[in-house]
Amino acid sequence: MVQSCLTQLPLQQLTKLLQQREISCREILQAYLDKIHTFNNHLGAFLQVADREKLLSLADESDARWQKKQNKSALDGIPIAIKDNIHVHGLKTTCASRLLHNYSPPYEATCVEKLREAGAIFIGKTNLDEFAMGSTTENSATQQTHNPWDINKVAGGSSGGSAVAVSAGMSPLALGSDTGGSVRQPASFCGIVGLKPTYGYVSRYGLVAYASSLDQVGPMARDVYGATQLLNAIGGFDERDSTSIRSAPVALEALQRNIAGKKIAILGEISNYINPHVAKVFEQSIESLRSLGAEVTEVEFPFFDYVVAAYYLIATAEASSNLARYDGVKYGQREERKTYQEMLTATRSQGFGKEVKKRILLGNFVLSSGYYDAYYLKAQKMRRRICHLLNNILHSYDAIVTPTTPNTAFTKGESEQDFMKVYVADVTTVIANLTGLPAVSIPCGMVENLPVGLQIIGGALQEQQILNIAYQFEKTQQKQFIPKLENIDTQQQIVHKNIATQNKAHQSFSEQLQQVRASYKAQPQHSRIYNNDLANHVAKEVTICGWVHKINKLGGVEFMIIRDATGFAQVVVENSSEKYELETVVRVTGIVAREKRSPYGEIEIAKPQIEVVGHSYAAPPLSMSTNPEGFNLPTVLDNRPVSLRNPQILSTFKIQSLVVRFFSGYLRSQNFFEIKTPKIISTGTEGGSNIFPLDYFGRKVYLAQSPQFYKQTMVGSGLERVFEVGPVFRAERHSTTRHLNEYTSLDFEMGFIHNEQDVIDMQEKLLRHIFQNLQQTYADYVTDRTLDLAIPDTIPRIHFLEALEIIKSRGGKAVQQDDDISSIGEQVLHKYCLEEHNSHFVYVIGYPQQKRPVYTMPDERLPGYTRSFDLLYKGIEITTGGQRIHDYEMLCENIRKGGGSLEDVKDYLSIFKHGMPPHGGLGMGLERLTMKIMGHDNVRHASLFPRDIHRVSP
Amino acid sequence: MEKQINSLIRLSGVEIEKEQREILQEELQTFLHYAQIIDKAPDFEDDKLSTSESFMVDDVAVDWQGNLLENAPVLKESSYLVPPQQSKKHHEAKLEQSKTSTLENWEVVIGLEVHAQLLTKSKLFCRCSTEFGKTPNANTCPVCTGQPGALPVLNKEAIRMAILAGLAMNCEINNHSVFARKNYFYPDSPKSYQISQFEKPLCSKGHIVIENEEAQQQQVRLNRIHVEEDAGKMIHVGTPGIWGAQASAVDFNRTSIPLIEIVSEPDIQTPYQAKEYMTMLRTILVSMNICDGNMEEGSLRCDANVSLRKKGESELGVKTEIKNLNSFKAVERALEYEIKRQKEILDSGNVVEQQTRLWDDNKQKTLIMRTKEDSHDYRYFPDPDLRPVEVPAEWVTNLRSELPQMPLERKEQYLGYGLSQKEAIYLMHNPHYAAYFEDIRAIHPNAKAISNWFFSEILSYVNARSSQIHITPQDFADFLQAIDNEEISGKIGKQVVKEAFMSNKGLMQVIEEKQLRQISDEGAIAKIVEEVLQKNEQQVAAYRGGKTTIFGYFVGQTMKASHGKANPGMVNKILREKLDG
Ligand SMILES: [Zn+2]
């Protein structure tokens, strides 16, 4: 058994352990996820890591299959990292570009689909040079990736993230893409195995194109066996890629074959390009091959000068065209501008990094008229020639070997200074891309603590051949190429600590495995409990979390009051040396004790260990422990994000949340469906001037005043009963204690009613449900006052004309304006109902037609009046509702009479044209209702972030 | 160098900082160096890349999992909004209507580029449906919206149709053709390049024959027919038209629908010939069922190149290209307008500028769209995502045997039947009626009788109602037979046709239901005559007494007694026998 820990195992051994059920997929996955958790910050391999819970549940499914010996493949349950230019369902594909930073692909790459079918688990997306253009991963617009052997060196590229992920044990396998060496070169720099298959062996469908005739997806692994398994899983013909080819998988037993007698060529002229230290390691590798019985011969290949030239001319030309699609029209980060041309240029100029822009410009130069023949065509002819030559060599030889790269990993920033050095460094790898031939890089030695790779190139579709040689060569290597991660960052002790536990090389594997297992099974010492739950944990050690609300000093003892979402806890701190600023966020572990003197449930926490998890840098502008009634409202609202922390202020919103909960809950029980309707609309619902216009890409649109039309539409759609909790906008220039310009409307609409009385009946039952439930629960949330939540058995219903009489008789003319009920009138009515009916609520029914929108159902019994109503609660209107006209012709007639145009509302009218049940509904203002329930005198108290005529922030 | 970099920046749609410009210059030098390195390479044979078997898929309009795409569009965007195009002023040619329309000593040279949408089920490079009139972006997928990483796969059916078109137009079918990328930025082009054919088209050379103003046959040579993908459609918000719109939305339903572009040689000399050429092309394509020929919906579109030269000169003059010709009438009118415009420029001693112009059907004018300076550099190169199209000779041979009759042959055939010139031309351009005609003729060989009833009766009802013909060839033939048998008269026949169209019934069904068949049974008619004569003894006596002028009275009475169904000839004959005999 190899002496190394789980994340250092090559795939072949992982598979063996899985087969023998000595280890589970869950354990493997957790080990790798933990490694990512510990090291990704330092190495920058991953751009995204998939959701842990989802991954674990996939691993469990795999385990179930292994258990039944029904595993889908050898890769079932094996984590795989994917280069972030290959589409994976459910993950973004950013290509490490600003332009695509938010792009979610609408489909999955074929190679990923195949892996998914094989049961593999996609652990995350890895960093790369932007759009795979580069050979250091320094061109990533997102983050830097560091070589785990030496963080001052580059990881190589463009598949640097994938190489580091495998090398540092963050994923056993990874996919990269190789256009000019982008799999093999970082594999070489990081000391792992990387393969570029024959062009067409793996489908390119779903690989974001850099240079289409050179791109190829390739496997990366710690060992040849792993690379082979991965290759077999992703290879094969794909009818979605016309350039893919039919091929047979590599036979695993073929890897075991003896390579004695194999004829291997080395290219004579290559020594001119190779660093002498690397050359020395290369010579040793050739000796190893000879010792395996291979015949190694030098052949002529006087074409290296042309290889890089042809490669860059072709690659940039194709890239310029492939990247033209990022124009901001369909996807990607668009820079809005006035014209298409400007938008296009701004989007591309700001979205692409400089290397990408440079290659696009160079490519367009190669293709532009007058240069095409001299550059592109010539390069293509040269390419054909190189093909011809290499194929001739491979006619007589089984493989060609070269060092994978002329150098070991570059120092960071080197490429910036000397791009030619980096270009020329591609000379060994690009020959395989230009010719489409398969090539594998395998670690073969070290130079100054950096790995060196050996490249083996084979004939077209001769993957089995080169992997066989690589496998046999791998067996001759004394050393496993595993970087020592302790060296990564000496300044960060935490890293050391983690490494110490994770990477004890002297422990036997099984011991380590036990340890790893134990750490998964053990629960964290205490899961956090809420303050209102402390009474259930008396005499036990618990952990609570929250804000330092108040500190009282008494003798040598500090009483620290901790506030959380549910209430307070008193923590007794003896001999404290620490000073805590109010509002510091802490995690406290201590013993729950009964203490009669504690004002917080006669309970306190003793012997606390206090951990600061969020520092407070200054005392808050408002006191959290003062009764807010002393504050003036503008100050409270100006400091809203902080003043909300005052528990008394916050309690209003806890109650508000309950109101919404009970509202929705009751309606759901009455077969209502919840709907969500748009708030940007093209025409006003109610008409009139109190509607906010909005610039919408140059068109004038409006913010919705109510969901009226859509509610009705949904009744007509066959849902019959619908409700919505959503914002509505009123551009009224009121500055009163009752008006907001944005408020939350609790709306419902119901079909198949007889008249407005059915709607009122429904609301009465709804209100009773809300108020009765509040009565039972509010004390858990509001501790500083009692709430008047009385609701009468029947809410009085009085006709509008009757209401006017009452107001007149009680307050005279002053309270009546324009035949409407003024706010003073509403208060008069409240008083009347309280006295006569012992009710804070009153329905006023039958408003005059001219006061109501055109869709309101006229009252056939009383011409000029409608079947509509308002509900007043404690002297303020909280609901407007009514029966709506449901007959098409009647509605048209009413709109015409109202001076409206049928054309303007033709979408709305279409609901009625095709059969609409009699229906009605209402809207209830959440803030006003909350305000009255809480007994506030201003509706702003009941709005989290009020929007009124003066205030749009915070 | 500075100028070159500026032009590269425009082509690339990216702006770069100053220091990057310097780096770019350096790298351009490197590329120059690369080109020189390659130049210095020893000569070698241009050995072809191993020709790989071309890969195409069937025309099925399903997604890759095999589900019909109709209800499952992959992409949800209902529209892709883009800002408006750079506003440009219309330069309207200020021209008085020229009084003289003669060309004097000028000669006109016209070449047409016709785009025809092929009637495949799925698009050229993906499996989206090609159905017209779906909600915007319902027929789209990652491939035809140019999503990163998506790849085109060629639809074999499109190649089949294009080969058929090539064969019908006497082209050479190239067994090796190549798709190329035509690079340009435009919002309706999702990949920012169009996949088309450039150096190696599917069909080369060829010709079609038209009849010119003098009713003489004239050959128009074709340069090539190639296959390409259509672009999306822009929906302009605000003022109509590309320019001055406030914003535009893009509908990619049309994107990647297969087109063939048929490029003529400049063999056309008059607007009339241009119109005839278009008409003939349409007829050929429609009769092979490879294009629906609907110019209003844009299934068939035309750009025209026109130039003038002095009579007798062989060199071509400076040409203008006219776009947006979406009816036969527009082709003719736009060319007339443009010829007049160019002639006036040339007559006044000025030179015509090379331009692309747009035909405005409302104003009946061509308007300038871009000048030579703004012309595109399309940077064509072979599309590395697609393999060359290899067409086996055997396939071409098989397709050749499928070719239907060509229009002019069809016309000759109908003239041979004795149809009028007008009728023959009508059937030439309406292949589905020609097929109908042939179906009837197979049962009832009297072509003249068919054409009489078809053109004077049937077609007038069909046209008046713009409906389909619901009368089966068998029914039509039976009807003609009934007339031949004198079972119904011509007059009744017309009523039958009318009734058949009114009630959507068959002709014979109408005859049976209304019992319109004539009585031609001699015995039966004799019996009716007998009765009539018995009832009218006085008149019989008068007739026999010499008042022979009342013969018509007996005819009338007999017809009346037979409810109009008696064969009038026989009635006459029998009456004469009975009265005179
Ligand atoms: Zn599509």
Side-chain angles (χ1 to χ4, degrees), chain A residues 103 330-331 334 349 378 384, chain B residues 15 39 46 81 146-147 190:
Chain A
Y103 177 71
K330 306 158 291 273
Y331 42 71
R334 181 197 291 198
S349 300
K378 225 173 249 176
R384 247 177 248 157
Chain B
E15 184 55 80
D39 249 350
D46 188 3
L81 285 170
Q147 299 291 320

Side-chain angles (χ1 to χ4, degrees), chain A residues 588-659:
Chain A
V588 179
T589 303
I591 311 289
V592 182
R594 287 229 174 267
E595 171 53 64
K596 284 246 148 81
R597 286 169 293 180
S598 165
Y600 303 100
E602 301 184 350
I603 275 175
E604 64 183 24
I605 291 180
K607 307 211 170 103
Q609 283 173 287
I610 301 171
E611 186 191 343
V612 174
V613 294
H615 287 281
S616 169
Y617 292 96
L622 291 167
S623 164
M624 298 308 144
S625 48
T626 310
N627 186 333
E629 273 164 26
F631 303 150
N632 82 22
L633 184 59
T635 315
V636 170
L637 295 181
D638 287 345
N639 293 291
R640 197 53 147 172
V642 186
S643 67
L644 280 171
R645 295 186 179 202
N646 185 304
Q648 276 160 278
I649 292 178
L650 198 58
S651 65
T652 296
F653 300 101
K654 290 179 177 171
I655 295 303
Q656 192 166 68
S657 168
L658 292 181
V659 171

Side-chain angles (χ1 to χ4, degrees), chain A residues 770-836:
Chain A
I770 294 173
F771 277 71
Q772 285 170 354
N773 276 290
L774 279 178
Q775 280 163 16
Q776 285 165 21
T777 50
Y778 89 87
D780 291 343
Y781 305 93
V782 180
T783 48
D784 62 322
R785 66 189 106 166
T786 51
L787 301 183
D788 175 8
L789 291 163
I791 181 163
D793 290 342
T794 44
I795 297 177
R797 303 177 187 188
I798 55 181
H799 194 271
F800 176 79
L801 295 173
E802 208 181 330
L804 289 187
E805 283 308 312
I806 294 166
I807 296 165
K808 255 187 225 167
S809 68
R810 293 190 154 229
K813 278 197 166 187
V815 296
Q816 179 201 348
Q817 351 162 303
D818 305 342
D819 280 348
D820 199 357
I821 298 174
S822 66
S823 61
I824 303 170
E826 287 173 347
Q827 287 159 26
V828 173
L829 273 181
H830 175 219
K831 198 155 175 267
Y832 163 83
C833 289
L834 201 56
E835 287 164 14
E836 299 293 319

Side-chain angles (χ1 to χ4, degrees), chain A residues 504-557:
Chain A
K504 281 182 197 157
H506 60 274
Q507 276 185 340
S508 76
F509 171 73
S510 52
E511 259 178 81
Q512 291 193 13
L513 198 57
Q514 288 304 323
Q515 220 173 48
V516 171
R517 276 185 176 154
S519 82
Y520 299 146
K521 280 168 194 157
Q523 290 295 309
Q525 281 190 311
H526 298 291
S527 53
R528 172 260 172 108
I529 66 165
Y530 282 110
N531 288 345
N532 68 353
D533 195 24
L534 285 173
N536 299 323
H537 294 80
V538 173
K540 291 190 185 135
E541 190 178 65
V542 297
T543 299
I544 61 166
C545 296
W547 290 260
V548 176
H549 182 66
K550 202 159 72 172
I551 298 175
N552 300 324
K553 290 195 179 129
L554 208 67
V557 182

Side-chain angles (χ1 to χ4, degrees), chain A residues 66 147 604 631 711 944:
Chain A
W66 280 100
N147 193 314
E604 64 183 24
F631 303 150
K711 277 198 302 180
L944 273 177

Side-chain angles (χ1 to χ4, degrees), chain B residues 142-373:
Chain B
V143 177
C144 59
T145 54
Q147 299 291 320
L151 296 171
V153 178
L154 184 59
N155 182 345
K156 191 174 180 182
E157 179 66 6
I159 298 299
R160 189 187 75 88
M161 288 182 173
I163 294 172
L164 272 178
L167 291 173
M169 298 178 199
N170 310 296
C171 291
E172 294 168 12
I173 310 300
N174 298 316
N175 59 15
H176 178 86
S177 64
V178 172
F179 280 100
R181 294 186 183 177
K182 181 181 181 183
N183 293 287
Y184 64 96
F185 287 113
Y186 203 75
D188 67 6
S189 171
K191 301 183 293 298
S192 302
Y193 58 79
Q194 179 195 27
I195 304 179
S196 178
Q197 294 189 309
F198 186 56
E199 276 182 349
K200 294 179 178 169
L202 183 63
C203 315
S204 318
K205 298 180 183 150
H207 67 266
I208 66 170
V209 176
I210 62 166
E211 283 186 354
N212 64 16
E213 321 36 9
E214 280 95 41
Q216 282 178 337
Q217 299 207 339
Q218 178 185 337
Q219 207 178 67
V220 177
R221 288 169 305 146
L222 301 183
N223 177 286
R224 62 194 279 157
I225 301 176
H226 68 247
V227 185
E228 62 185 27
E229 55 176 347
D230 209 340
K233 246 185 200 155
M234 304 281 290
I235 302 155
H236 301 289
V237 184
T239 53
I242 302 173
W243 299 309
Q246 289 178 341
S248 309
V250 198
D251 173 7
F252 291 122
N253 281 351
R254 202 180 67 180
T255 306
S256 213
I257 286 180
L259 295 176
I260 47 173
E261 181 173 337
I262 305 158
V263 183
S264 84
E265 295 289 355
D267 285 356
I268 300 166
Q269 290 144 0
T270 64
Y272 175 84
Q273 289 168 14
K275 192 190 81 181
E276 281 300 295
Y277 169 82
M278 269 305 280
T279 314
M280 194 59 86
L281 272 188
R282 181 183 182 278
T283 301
I284 293 172
L285 297 171
V286 171
S287 60
M288 291 190 297
N289 208 24
I290 61 180
C291 174
D292 68 16
N294 190 331
M295 290 188 82
E296 286 72 41
E297 285 179 9
S299 321
L300 191 66
R301 307 193 283 271
C302 173
D303 300 338
N305 288 306
V306 56
S307 64
L308 267 56
R309 67 178 166 196
K310 278 260 160 61
K311 262 184 191 155
E313 273 182 22
S314 58
E315 209 163 302
L316 289 171
V318 178
K319 64 172 185 182
T320 53
E321 186 182 2
I322 314 170
K323 291 193 172 286
N324 200 27
L325 303 175
N326 45 22
S327 68
F328 295 118
K329 204 184 266 173
V331 173
E332 201 172 7
R333 290 271 171 81
L335 284 168
E336 279 167 3
Y337 178 88
E338 187 58 21
I339 291 165
K340 210 176 284 173
R341 192 186 71 88
Q342 288 191 15
K343 181 175 174 295
E344 298 207 2
I345 293 171
L346 293 168
D347 281 345
S348 63
N350 292 320
V351 284
V352 173
E353 195 191 353
Q354 186 174 332
Q355 291 173 343
T356 302
R357 301 178 67 86
L358 205 64
W359 173 246
D360 187 326
D361 219 23
N362 295 324
K363 296 188 178 143
Q364 294 280 306
K365 278 178 177 177
T366 65
L367 307 170
I368 190 163
M369 193 169 137
R370 60 174 175 258
T371 59
K372 198 189 173 195
E373 287 82 67

